[in-house]
């Protein structure tokens, strides 16, 4: 395509290409070849750094044309990352999406390139990032995850330590521990807006592990859900972001460490009422209680009243928490049906009528729910 496009010099010079003399054409050709050579030389000088440890370079592993394509350093925000392009410039990326050259200043490499360089699976690299926070340091809101030479050197050291027999968790600590996300809320919102499940998950996992479930839910998840929900006022179709964020919050909560329940502790059963899809608050409650070594049974979304009754008869919980997000789903028959069992009935969520329903407890926040359920009989 490039070959048939008029070059900017021919346009600037006002020369009609068809009337150009053969010496004009050959000097243009020579100039174009020179430009191509200098571009190629620049791209070669941007080869991935060869770390002291292995002396290997990514380039030596590349065989097929497809691999070559994928190995090429990504030179700017991919399609669909336009919003990030302005900020990306601060990180040393070309603001034009890379069309004029590629990374300027610091080089940056994809996870695939780094994995090939270290000769490990890409999934291992991602798992180091997710579990131990060892990943690209330059994680800015809206930025696309890329590894710098410094990141690669740390990862190489981690790899060497593991090969020498160290546990990955110890190796991660030795090389400097998790890299805290600088502004987790902005990072999480940006990742959700880019529909980047993995990046949302990484931020959330770090927050749950570092702050604990309740603070991370209140400081990070609740505000992020509010922001993403508010996006729909200006962009009604962007509920996809809410789905991605909800998925990531759920996945991260499922990954929270759950020590074995303490024997003799009351069993708590959690369920959303029939037709209720809003499970996240109960997911947070389940993880928070599990961290306190409370035994939890979670039934999840849209539990029919008959199913709830069956589960209570089978599991014999001490307390049952029923979530209703809106008055449209709040089912009083579910509360009544549980009256036949010796359980503390707890209503949670803004759907239930204000004030306490007779024979039930009402909780309005996650910390209040945890406090009540740590000792439902007390
Ligand atoms: C995530 C989400 C979804 C996800 C749910 C995914 C999941 N697995 O949970 C999906 C995409 C499935 C979804 C679907 C729908 N949603 Co929705 N959703 C939300 C969103 C963004 C968060 C819900 C949530 O988790 N809230 C809990 C926290 C985050 O909310 P909060 O206000 O910060 O918390 C308050 C309390 O709830 C309490 N609290 C917080 N955490 C905890 C924890 C515990 C244990 C306790 C006791 C209390 C507590 O403290 C706070 C102060 O009151 C809300 C907007 C919002 N910010 O709440 C809309 C929202 C709840 N959804 C809404 C609607 C309308 C729907 C749909 C009907 C949309 C549709 N047309 O299909 C469907 C309903 C499906 C159904 N039948 O249930 C409306 C509800 C309006 C209403 N009052 O009826 C909201 C409020 C959006 C809006 N602005 O209009 N939704």
């Amino acid at each position: 395509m490039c070959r048939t496009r008029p070059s900017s010099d021919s346009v600037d010079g006002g020369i009609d290409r068809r009337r150009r003399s053969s010496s004009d054409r050959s000097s243009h050709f020579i100039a174009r070849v020179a430009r191509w050579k200098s571009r190629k030389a620049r791209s070669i000088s941007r080869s991935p750094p060869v770390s002291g440890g292995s002396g290997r370079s990514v380039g030596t592993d590349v065989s097929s044309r497809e691999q070559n394509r994928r190995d090429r350093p990504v030179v700017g925000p991919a399609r669909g990352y336009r919003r990030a392009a302005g900020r990306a410039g601060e990180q040393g990326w070309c603001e034009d999406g890379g069309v004029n050259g590629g990374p300027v200043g610091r080089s940056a490499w994809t996870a695939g390139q780094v994995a090939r360089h270290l000769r490990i699976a890409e999934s291992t690299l991602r798992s180091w990032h997710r579990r131990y926070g060892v990943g690209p340091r330059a994680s800015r809101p809206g930025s696309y995850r890329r590894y710098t030479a410094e990141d690669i050197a740390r990862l190489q050291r981690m790899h060497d330590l593991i090969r020498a027999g160290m546990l990955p968790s110890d190796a991660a600590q030795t090389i400097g521990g998790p890299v805290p996300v600088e502004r987790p809320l902005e990072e999480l919102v940006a990742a959700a807006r880019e529909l980047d499940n993995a990046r949302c998950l990484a931020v959330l996992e770090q927050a749950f592990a570092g702050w604990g479930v309740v603070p991370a839910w209140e400081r990070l998840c609740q505000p992020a859900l509010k922001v993403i929900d508010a996006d729909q006022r200006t962009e009604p179709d962007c509920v996809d972001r809410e789905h991605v964020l909800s998925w990531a919050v759920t996945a991260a909560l499922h990954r929270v460490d759950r020590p074995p329940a303490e024997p003799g502790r009351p069993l708590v059963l959690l369920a959303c009422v029939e037709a209720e899809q809003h499970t996240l608050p109960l997911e947070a409650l389940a993880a928070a209680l599990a961290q306190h070594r409370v035994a939890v049974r979670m039934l999840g979304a849209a539990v029919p009243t008959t199913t709830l009754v069956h589960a209570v008869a089978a599991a014999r919980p001490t307390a049952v928490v029923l979530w209703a997000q809106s008055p449209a789903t709040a089912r009083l028959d579910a509360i009544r049906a549980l009256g036949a069992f010796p359980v503390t009935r707890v209503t949670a969520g803004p759907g239930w009528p204000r004030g306490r329903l007779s024979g039930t407890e009402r909780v309005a926040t996650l910390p209040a729910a945890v406090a009540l359920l740590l000792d439902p009989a007390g």
Side-chain angles (χ1 to χ4, degrees):
M1 252 176 40
C2 269
R3 263 186 256 128
T4 56
R5 210 173 52 199
S7 72
S8 55
D9 353 4
S10 69
V11 173
D12 288 345
I15 301 168
D16 182 334
R17 279 166 66 80
R18 278 163 303 177
R19 288 209 326 260
R20 218 192 265 145
S21 71
S22 72
S23 72
D24 271 336
R25 277 203 300 276
S26 65
S27 65
H28 271 271
F29 177 71
I30 290 164
R32 194 174 293 141
V33 168
R35 275 201 302 276
W36 177 80
K37 277 188 175 164
S38 99
R39 267 205 306 274
K40 188 152 172 66
R42 275 207 307 275
S43 93
I44 288 167
S45 75
R46 272 187 247 116
S47 301
V50 179
S51 88
S54 70
R56 289 186 301 268
S57 89
V58 174
T60 56
D61 289 336
V62 178
S63 54
S64 71
R65 180 185 281 194
E66 165 61 2
Q67 199 79 322
N68 254 319
R69 190 184 63 73
R70 284 193 281 132
D71 274 351
R72 239 185 307 129
V74 175
V75 291
R79 200 156 56 84
Y81 284 77
R82 284 275 162 250
R83 204 164 358 85
R87 283 189 298 269
E90 294 165 21
Q91 278 202 302
W93 296 111
C94 283
E95 297 209 14
D96 60 9
V99 287
N100 284 335
V104 288
R106 277 187 306 161
S107 293
W109 308 98
T110 66
Q113 289 172 320
V114 175
R116 280 191 291 281
H117 175 63
L118 298 176
R119 302 220 168 148
I120 58 173
E122 202 176 321
S123 57
T124 304
L125 193 63
R126 295 198 193 285
S127 134
W128 287 357
H129 191 200
R130 207 181 55 236
R131 291 180 180 203
Y132 313 116
V134 181
R137 276 181 189 266
S139 196
R140 273 166 171 257
S143 69
Y144 200 25
R145 190 187 295 168
R146 294 286 175 253
Y147 294 75
T148 62
E150 194 192 327
D151 294 325
I152 296 169
R154 290 169 63 243
L155 287 162
Q156 180 70 61
R157 186 154 155 60
M158 168 133 175
H159 187 35
D160 291 344
L161 291 171
I162 293 169
R163 277 197 307 188
M166 205 179 251
L167 285 172
S169 50
D170 292 342
Q173 268 190 349
T174 308
I175 65 157
V179 183
V181 177
E182 268 173 38
R183 286 175 294 180
L185 181 56
E186 286 94 328
E187 173 69 7
L188 182 59
V189 167
R193 284 177 176 157
E194 286 164 13
L195 307 182
D196 190 337
N197 299 61
R199 218 167 102 215
C200 289
L201 187 55
V203 177
L204 287 160
E205 273 197 287
Q206 268 196 38
F208 286 131
W211 302 343
V213 170
V214 175
W217 170 254
E218 293 195 316
R219 278 196 252 154
L220 188 58
C221 302
Q222 285 188 230
L225 285 163
K226 272 205 176 76
V227 174
I228 291 301
D229 179 46
D231 281 358
Q232 289 161 51
R233 265 158 236 148
T234 45
E235 275 181 81
D237 290 336
C238 71
V239 71
D240 46 1
R241 298 172 185 172
E242 194 172 293
H243 281 270
V244 165
L245 182 57
S246 300
W247 176 89
V249 171
T250 307
L253 284 165
H254 286 183
R255 290 174 187 199
V256 166
D257 275 345
R258 294 178 190 224
E262 212 170 276
R265 267 281 173 86
L267 175 74
V268 178
L269 188 136
L270 310 176
C272 287
V273 287
E274 201 160 333
E276 180 58 70
Q277 298 293 337
H278 296 93
T279 53
L280 298 181
L282 288 188
E283 293 285 6
L285 180 57
L289 288 173
Q291 282 198 322
H292 285 282
R293 304 192 59 192
V294 173
V296 178
R297 301 287 182 268
M298 168 66 158
L299 300 185
V303 181
T305 300
T306 48
T307 307
L308 181 68
V309 167
H310 181 271
V312 172
R316 299 181 189 203
T318 312
V320 178
V321 182
L322 289 178
W323 184 270
Q325 182 72 40
S326 89
T329 60
R331 301 276 306 239
L332 292 175
D333 67 333
I335 306 280
R336 274 188 228 111
L338 295 185
F341 297 92
V343 293
T344 303
R345 292 171 290 171
V346 184
T347 56
W352 295 110
R354 279 166 194 262
R356 210 159 98 181
L357 295 166
S358 121
T360 67
E361 299 289 337
R362 176 99 175 93
V363 282
T365 65
L366 180 56
V370 173
L372 174 77
L373 295 162
L374 280 178
D375 187 11

